[in-house]
Amino acid sequence: MTRIELLSKISEALRTPTLPPVRADDMMRLELLDSLLDQLCCLNPTIQPGSTRSFAPIATGRWRVAFAPHIIKLSALGYVTFDPILYVLNAQGGIESNVQYKWLGGVHGWLSTRGRYGSRDEDEVSFVEWDEAWWNPGAAVPTASPADGAFASIVSALGDAGFVSAFANFPVKYLDRDVCIFEFPLSGTRIMAVREGGSLDVW
């Protein structure tokens, strides 16, 4: 298949039968998406996708995680849903992550982090290093400032303690204007993020 045909197949697999996140027990769909991503990465159109030269012109904007096997497994184990998982990147190398969680009994809220992103080797490996973390339990939307989060000083300290630089490197396997596929080293799985409003934004 061509790259365009693969992107169309991935879009179809994301939409059918329900929108992401994919359920952990939907093994056929998980395996199909994984196979399609294998093929798509072989047709990566971007030279040195983890380099500043390659991602700087297209990184800025809002991205949403469409496929993340390690999150799917974690959600099934804890009976919790993490969705949406959003990344907001700016042209100055800043990044913010906002993750909504929904648990049993209507428990919900947002977990957020803020830091910087860049290239580790100006080739394939990018990095994300978090500087701030905050928590908005029960909130419909995340706050803009970490100081407005619950237990701000405690959550910030836990965020600092949980950050491990060895796990901050993310090899980029595919990159175009609307899709980024990168490896998550801690779990050895791939994550696909899509640009909001882009060709693979199925929501």
Side-chain angles (χ1 to χ4, degrees):
M1 282 188 284
T2 67
R3 188 170 66 88
I4 301 303
E5 288 171 336
L6 281 168
L7 289 170
S8 178
K9 288 285 187 182
I10 291 170
S11 178
E12 181 182 349
L14 289 174
R15 294 173 187 273
T16 308
T18 59
L19 295 178
V22 180
R23 291 173 53 92
D25 58 1
D26 194 348
M27 294 304 299
M28 288 185 63
R29 192 177 177 197
L30 290 171
E31 290 173 2
L32 172 61
L33 280 164
D34 208 41
S35 174
L36 291 171
L37 293 192
D38 275 340
Q39 297 174 67
L40 186 63
C41 287
C42 291
L43 299 176
N44 173 40
T46 305
I47 297 173
Q48 298 176 315
S51 68
T52 307
R53 179 181 61 184
S54 293
F55 63 64
I58 60 177
T60 302
R62 288 170 59 90
W63 297 74
R64 181 169 178 171
V65 170
F67 184 67
H70 69 292
I71 297 294
I72 293 170
K73 292 178 181 178
L74 180 63
S75 298
L77 289 173
Y79 300 99
V80 58
T81 299
F82 297 100
D83 183 70
I85 302 173
L86 304 171
Y87 298 115
V88 183
L89 285 70
N90 65 37
Q92 291 72 46
I95 181 171
E96 181 172 312
S97 170
N98 306 118
V99 181
Q100 186 177 43
Y101 63 88
K102 295 178 182 178
W103 215 342
L104 297 175
V107 176
H108 68 281
W110 290 83
L111 299 168
S112 300
T113 51
R114 183 179 293 151
R116 63 189 184 94
Y117 71 94
S119 179
R120 192 69 79 192
D121 62 359
E122 292 302 337
D123 184 9
E124 183 183 75
V125 181
S126 64
F127 71 82
V128 175
E129 296 180 346
W130 303 113
D131 302 320
E132 300 175 295
W134 66 103
W135 176 36
N136 299 122
V141 295
T143 59
S145 171
D148 295 329
F151 310 107
S153 59
I154 296 174
V155 172
S156 180
L158 289 173
D160 287 341
F163 174 73
V164 180
S165 60
F167 299 135
N169 299 325
F170 303 97
V172 180
K173 298 301 182 180
Y174 179 93
L175 180 66
D176 67 27
R177 182 161 294 278
D178 293 332
V179 182
C180 179
I181 301 172
F182 58 93
E183 291 183 350
F184 187 65
L186 189 59
S187 64
T189 58
R190 288 176 300 196
I191 297 174
M192 178 173 65
V194 303
R195 181 184 300 278
E196 286 198 343
S199 60
L200 253 66
D201 183 350
V202 298
W203 292 274

